[in-house]
Amino acid sequence: MDKRVAIIGGGVAGLGAALSLDRYGIESIIIEKSPNLGGKVTGYAQLFPDFKDGKALVAELIDKARRSPRIKVLTNASIRTMARQDGRFELAMTSGDAVCADAVILTCGFEVFDARKQGEYGYGVYPNVITAPELELFLDPEGPTKGKLLRPSDGQPAQRVAIVFCVGSRNKRLGNPYCSRICCSYSTKQAIEIMERHPDANVTCFYMDIRTYGRGFEEMYQYAQELGVKYVRGRVSECSALPNGDIQVRAENTLMCRPVQGAFDVVSLSVGMAPCSDGAQIAAWLGLELDPYGFFQAKDDYLSPYETHQEGVFLAGSISGLKPIRDCLSDGFSAGGEVALYLQRLHQGRG
């Protein structure tokens, strides 16, 4: 078939979609607004629950995509407008370039919640309050500290670490009542990394509920407890800085019905996920529906999870709801197959 598919987003879902289409001999063009492919997974030295090398996974996907003559890539590429004309999609780029496609797969991913919006935790005020993505950089052997967990304020080793779950998720006041689905598991993975490298460390996780689902996730949670990671059920009410730079955490232990507090070298905030920043504009261009929180709605969550109500427009990854990395990659491959079937029907109909 002489068809082309535009894939908006070059993360793992977009790469999976392109590779799936390639198997069917269908040309695709990946449009990525950042300088590099791979999305947020490029910042993960280890994935959960199997601790697979995230950077190696992304490198393998990118290498396969780059070696295919049917997969074109545009990076640093921003879309100025997008519309359907005479059965084809016309994408005008801010660079002045134009892309024409017979179908579109939206794989724009998600945004990380801005922890400054929860001022009670002191992020952006106290240097030793960091976010989970920043903790990931500390744990990365190729990161700025070569895998050493150091206090940002003075560069001293951090032995006492608090991890606060559900920052920006399950919060009606912020307009994010939904669960981000991966934070419990993602932060548990980080706690395990700390304890494996520093068995004498003190790692305490403050949580609302532990939600670890999927093959291997619950086992990872159990392993963390075996290593000595402490779990305290209770929402943290406040983080404040002590004169020596330590962070004092105040919370309520809802299992014991009493307040608790402790001082830590570093506090990591498990920030949740929010809809992609371009979602509303893309939905307006293509006449698509968003749910009350800003995620794209599929045609039917059960029977057509990758299709939209607009013919020729498909979804994959966290653009339609938050999910783990391997689910996003699986989405990409599956959406590619759905698009191949769609283009085949389109080709036969015109023939």
Side-chain angles (χ1 to χ4, degrees):
M1 292 183 292
D2 184 20
K3 304 292 183 185
R4 173 188 260 194
V5 179
I7 300 172
I8 314 302
V12 293
L15 288 165
L19 293 172
S20 178
L21 290 166
D22 184 59
R23 294 173 182 175
Y24 293 99
I26 298 172
E27 181 181 343
S28 65
I29 180 166
I30 300 174
I31 301 172
E32 170 56 47
K33 64 182 179 181
S34 69
N36 303 300
L37 295 175
K40 296 178 178 63
V41 183
T42 58
Y44 303 155
Q46 290 184 312
L47 307 181
F48 60 87
D50 52 9
F51 294 84
K52 182 180 178 66
D53 188 328
K55 294 182 179 182
L57 170 65
V58 170
E60 182 177 352
L61 292 171
I62 293 174
D63 179 63
K64 289 181 178 179
R66 293 287 191 186
R67 285 191 283 109
S68 171
R70 285 183 290 268
I71 299 175
K72 310 300 180 185
V73 175
L74 287 179
T75 53
N76 283 318
S78 297
I79 302 172
R80 181 167 54 83
T81 186
M82 178 166 39
R84 189 167 187 171
Q85 301 286 344
D86 300 323
R88 301 198 78 198
F89 294 92
E90 304 287 338
L91 290 76
M93 315 303 294
T94 55
S95 62
D97 298 324
V99 174
C100 298
D102 299 280
V104 172
I105 305 178
L106 302 177
T107 63
C108 306
F110 65 92
E111 305 297 334
V112 176
F113 174 77
D114 182 359
R116 292 176 179 84
K117 294 180 179 179
Q118 286 200 247
E120 64 268 29
Y121 296 144
Y123 179 72
V125 178
Y126 309 133
N128 293 330
V129 176
I130 63 177
T131 63
E134 291 168 342
L135 176 57
E136 192 71 20
L137 283 175
F138 279 111
L139 297 174
D140 185 352
E142 299 178 0
T145 62
K146 305 301 181 183
K148 296 179 181 179
L149 182 52
L150 307 177
R151 282 168 38 125
S153 64
D154 54 19
Q156 294 301 307
Q159 289 292 106
R160 301 166 299 162
V161 181
I163 301 178
V164 182
F165 288 18
C166 295
V167 178
S169 301
R170 302 179 66 188
N171 191 316
K172 292 183 179 180
R173 177 176 62 85
L174 295 171
N176 298 338
Y178 53 83
C179 172
S180 288
R181 298 184 69 187
I182 71 163
C183 305
C184 293
S185 300
Y186 177 46
S187 295
T188 292
K189 183 226 50 157
Q190 292 183 323
I192 288 172
E193 289 186 79
I194 295 171
M195 293 301 296
E196 285 185 334
R197 298 178 195 181
H198 308 284
D200 56 342
N202 179 346
V203 180
T204 303
C205 297
F206 294 88
Y207 70 96
M208 293 178 65
D209 298 291
I210 296 296
R211 297 181 172 182
T212 51
Y213 74 99
R215 188 176 68 253
F217 286 52
E218 185 68 15
E219 291 83 351
M220 183 179 65
Y221 170 45
Q222 293 172 354
Y223 176 56
Q225 294 175 86
E226 292 170 3
L227 287 176
V229 177
K230 302 178 183 67
Y231 286 84
V232 176
R233 188 178 190 273
R235 174 79 80 170
V236 171
S237 60
E238 181 188 23
C239 294
S240 58
L242 298 176
N244 65 352
D246 288 355
I247 303 298
Q248 182 168 266
V249 175
R250 291 186 174 91
E252 179 186 1
N253 188 321
T254 56
L255 292 179
M256 302 181 68
C257 297
R258 65 179 179 85
V260 295
Q261 68 179 31
F264 298 89
D265 298 313
V266 166
V267 173
S268 175
L269 306 179
S270 298
V271 285
M273 299 187 285
C276 67
S277 58
D278 302 326
Q281 181 61 76
I282 293 173
W285 283 334
L286 298 176
L288 298 174
E289 299 178 17
L290 300 177
D291 70 14
Y293 310 119
F295 296 100
F296 283 72
Q297 290 191 308
K299 184 177 181 180
D300 187 296
D301 288 336
Y302 292 91
L303 302 177
S304 305
Y306 308 111
E307 298 180 59
T308 68
H309 290 280
Q310 294 293 339
E311 183 182 359
V313 182
F314 298 79
L315 308 171
S318 292
I319 194 169
S320 59
L322 305 172
K323 59 198 71 172
I325 293 166
R326 65 186 184 190
D327 288 5
C328 291
L329 184 55
S330 177
D331 266 11
F333 284 114
S334 298
E338 290 291 325
V339 173
L341 289 173
Y342 165 75
L343 293 177
Q344 184 180 41
R345 292 194 297 270
L346 195 66
H347 176 75
Q348 292 172 343
R350 289 180 178 176

